[in-house]
Amino acid sequence: MEADSVSIWPRMEPFLLGALQVAPSSKLSLHYLRKMATYVRTRDGCFPILGWPMWRHIACGKLQLPEDLAWLYFETFDILVGHTPEERLEWAEFLSQCSSKSELDQQRNKLSVDTLQFLLFLYIQQLNRVSLRTSLIGEEWPSHHRTRSPSPSDREAKTSSQNKNWDDQAHLSFVQSHLAEILELLVEPGQLSQSGQALRDCQISLDAVRSLGLLLEGSVCRGKAVQPVHRLLTKGPLQTQAGYSTLSCSFPLHKLLLCLQHSLTLNPFGITACLHSGKKLAWAQQVEGAMKRAKIARNTHMAPPGSKMVLMSQVFKQTLAKTSDRLTGANIKIHRCSDAFIYLLSPLRSVSLDKCRDSTVVLGPVETSVHIHGCQNVRVVCVAGRIAIGASSRCTLHALTPTRPLLLPGNTDITLGPFHTFYPSLEDHMASVGLAVVPNAWDRPLLLGTEGIVNPSLNASSNPDPACYRLLPPAEFHTLVVPFQMEGDTCEVPSGLPPPYQAALDEKQKRIQNWQKTVTEARLNKEQKRQFQELVEVKFHEWLLETGNRQELDSLIPTTIASLKDSNGPATDTPRVNDTKHMRNGRPVRQSPMAC
C-alpha cells in the first residue's frame, strides 16, 4: 500500500472548542512556550502530568498571567479533553460543597492535565491572533503550501464559517504553517540548542507523538476507520517514511516533519465537506410569508464522534423545533438566522450562533460550549458547560452554567438572566452530558479583553465598561414555556429560581389573582362581560403586535406537511413525524417539527 493513500488532517474540536475567540496573551507566544516546555521537563511534578498548582505557579509566577486567566485556560482544556458524564457530575458535587476560596482551591488542586497536550493547546490559541498584514489585505500571505486559488465552493465554506474556530481551511493552514514549531515543543530539552530550537538530528519519542493526537488524526484510505496519528505513523506505509524506529521508539524530527507535511489534507468531516456532500434537508413546515432560503446540512450520518455537525443557515420568520438522535452529540452552527424561533431539545456537543438577529434559541443541554458572535437582539436559553459572547448587542442570555460566562470584546447591552424554562426530558438530557444544577455561575461573568482579564467585578460602578452587560432586573423577569408536549419527568425548572426572581413571579401571580377577584366582584351582566372580553382581546392583540409575540404564535399554527424530497434525491431524509403537540390559545394541536 502506498504512503500516498494515507491521509492525516487537523481534528476539528481542538480548534472549535479549545481556541478562545480572542487574541491570545503575548505570554503564550512560541518564545515563552519554549521556555515552559523546557521548564516542565526539568521540574518534578510537571511531567508527564501537570497539576493545577504547578500550572498556576508557571502562569502567575513565570508568565505573569492573572490567576483568573490561568484558570480559564486550564478549565477550557479540561472541558475539551472530555470526561465521562459520571465524572463531571461528581466534580460538580465536589464544587457545590465548597463554601470558601480555600476549599475551592483544594478541589482545583486535585485536577491535572497531560503536560504535552496542554502545551499544544496553549499554542493553538494563536489561531485567533490578530495579524496586521491580514487586517490590511484581508487574507494571509501566500505560502508554499497553497498552490491553487480557492474554488467558489472553498470561498463559500470560508464565508459560511465566518470565524477561524469553524473554518477547517484555516485549521489546515495553521497546522501547515506552524507544524515545525508544534513538533519542537515535543522535543526533550537535551536535544535543543541554547536558543531553545530543535537540532536537526534530534529525535521525538513515541509518547510525545501520542500527544500530537490532540491535534491530528487520519485514516489509511478513504472510507476506512479514523485513527490517532501515532498509529498511522508507527505501522503500514508511513512507518518508513516517518523514520520510526522500533528499537528506540522514536522518530527523527526532520523525517517526521516531512512525512506529516506530505500527508496533511483537509478534514473530510469538516465544514467544507459538510457543505459539499452533507445531507441537504428541506423544511417540514413553511409559514406564510417565509422566504424559502433556509438551508440545513449535516454529516451526522457518517462522521465519527467529535466531528458530527449540523449547519443551519438563513432560517427566516420560521419556527424550527426538533428533538432527535441526529442532534445528540453534534456540534451545531446557527448562521444568519433572523426573526426565527429555534428549539433544539437534545443533548448537544457545542453550539455556535453567528450573525443572527431578532431570534429566540432554546437549547437542550450543551456539553461543552455555546458561543454567540456578531448577533443582535437574540435571546438564548441554555444549560451549558461554557458560554461565550462576543461582538454582539442587545442580546439576552438565560443560562445555567458551572463556569463563568465569557464576555469577549465588542459587546454592548448584554443581559444575563437565570435559566427559566424546562421540557419533560431536560433532566435526563442533563445527566447524559454530565451537567448538574449546581454550581451555577450565570451571574458572575468574566470580561476577557485583548489584554487579558478586563475586570471580573460585578459592581457596575467599578466596571470599565458598564454598558457591556447587566443582570436582568427581577421586575422584568418572566418564565419561558416550551410550547411542545413530550415524554419525560421534568415538570419544573431543574435549578429552581434565585429568590429575587421567584419573589417577582409570586408578586405577578398575586396581581393576577387580585385582577381576577376584581372582575368576579364586579358582577357584570352578560352584555357587559361580552364587551369587557372584546376590550381585553383587543388590548391583548395590540400587545402581541407591539412586542413581536404575534409572530411566535402564528408560526405554531399547523400547516400541511410537505414532502421533504429535494434535488439531492436519496441524500434527503424523510423525517418521522413526532407526536409533538404545539400549544396555541390554550389548546394542543398536532404538528410536525422541522426535520434536522
Side-chain angles (χ1 to χ4, degrees), residues 24-40:
S25 167
S26 60
K27 297 303 179 65
L28 295 185
S29 66
L30 179 63
H31 171 73
Y32 288 103
L33 291 183
R34 278 176 174 160
K35 288 189 173 184
M36 177 179 167
T38 300
Y39 184 89
V40 295

Side-chain angles (χ1 to χ4, degrees), residues 319-352:
T319 291
L320 182 159
K322 190 68 176 178
T323 177
S324 167
D325 289 341
R326 296 177 188 138
L327 295 177
T328 300
N331 295 288
I332 312 292
K333 184 175 180 66
I334 303 172
H335 175 241
R336 289 192 181 278
C337 296
S338 61
D339 298 288
F341 301 91
I342 298 173
Y343 299 82
L344 303 178
L345 307 181
S346 294
L348 309 170
R349 177 66 173 162
S350 74
V351 176
S352 298

Side-chain angles (χ1 to χ4, degrees), residues 156-262:
E156 178 190 7
K158 181 175 284 292
T159 301
S160 178
S161 63
Q162 295 302 313
N163 62 60
K164 290 184 178 180
N165 290 68
W166 269 94
D167 187 352
D168 51 9
Q169 308 264 357
H171 304 168
L172 177 60
S173 177
F174 181 88
V175 173
Q176 287 175 326
S177 301
H178 300 89
L179 186 57
E181 296 175 353
I182 289 172
L183 293 181
E184 281 183 13
L185 293 176
L186 304 179
V187 175
E188 294 182 12
Q191 303 187 69
L192 299 175
S193 67
Q194 290 185 346
S195 62
Q197 294 180 317
L199 302 174
R200 178 174 173 79
D201 59 348
C202 70
Q203 300 281 316
I204 296 184
S205 70
L206 176 58
D207 285 339
V209 173
R210 280 197 183 95
S211 299
L212 197 59
L214 174 74
L215 303 183
L216 301 176
E217 64 186 9
S219 63
V220 175
C221 58
R222 187 175 181 87
K224 294 293 185 179
V226 176
Q227 301 182 49
V229 67
H230 74 274
R231 290 184 185 170
L232 296 170
L233 294 169
T234 54
K235 61 183 180 181
L238 289 191
Q239 180 177 347
T240 302
Q241 191 179 103
Y244 176 65
S245 169
T246 55
L247 294 177
S248 64
C249 293
S250 64
F251 302 82
L253 174 61
H254 69 284
K255 275 197 169 185
L256 178 60
L257 176 60
L258 291 174
C259 176
L260 289 173
Q261 287 176 334
H262 179 75

Side-chain angles (χ1 to χ4, degrees), residues 407 446-456 463-465:
L407 299 185
L446 194 64
L447 276 65
L448 187 62
T450 54
E451 300 300 323
I453 302 297
V454 175
N455 189 338
N463 193 318
D465 185 9

Side-chain angles (χ1 to χ4, degrees), residues 285-319:
Q285 74 183 54
Q286 296 280 350
V287 300
E288 183 178 357
M291 297 177 67
K292 296 182 180 180
R293 62 185 182 187
K295 300 175 183 177
I296 182 169
R298 65 178 178 87
N299 68 5
T300 55
H301 58 292
M302 46 83 74
S307 297
K308 296 181 182 295
M309 68 171 65
V310 178
L311 310 175
M312 304 175 183
S313 182
Q314 301 182 81
V315 179
F316 176 68
K317 289 189 176 180
Q318 293 176 304
T319 291

Side-chain angles (χ1 to χ4, degrees), residues 26-71:
S26 60
K27 297 303 179 65
L28 295 185
S29 66
L30 179 63
H31 171 73
Y32 288 103
L33 291 183
R34 278 176 174 160
K35 288 189 173 184
M36 177 179 167
T38 300
Y39 184 89
V40 295
R41 293 267 201 160
T42 56
R43 297 295 189 280
D44 291 335
C46 293
F47 184 83
I49 299 299
L50 181 67
W52 162 244
M54 285 307 299
W55 164 239
R56 179 174 54 189
H57 169 70
I58 294 170
C60 302
K62 304 293 184 182
L63 302 178
Q64 300 297 304
L65 296 177
E67 183 174 333
D68 282 338
L69 185 58
W71 174 250

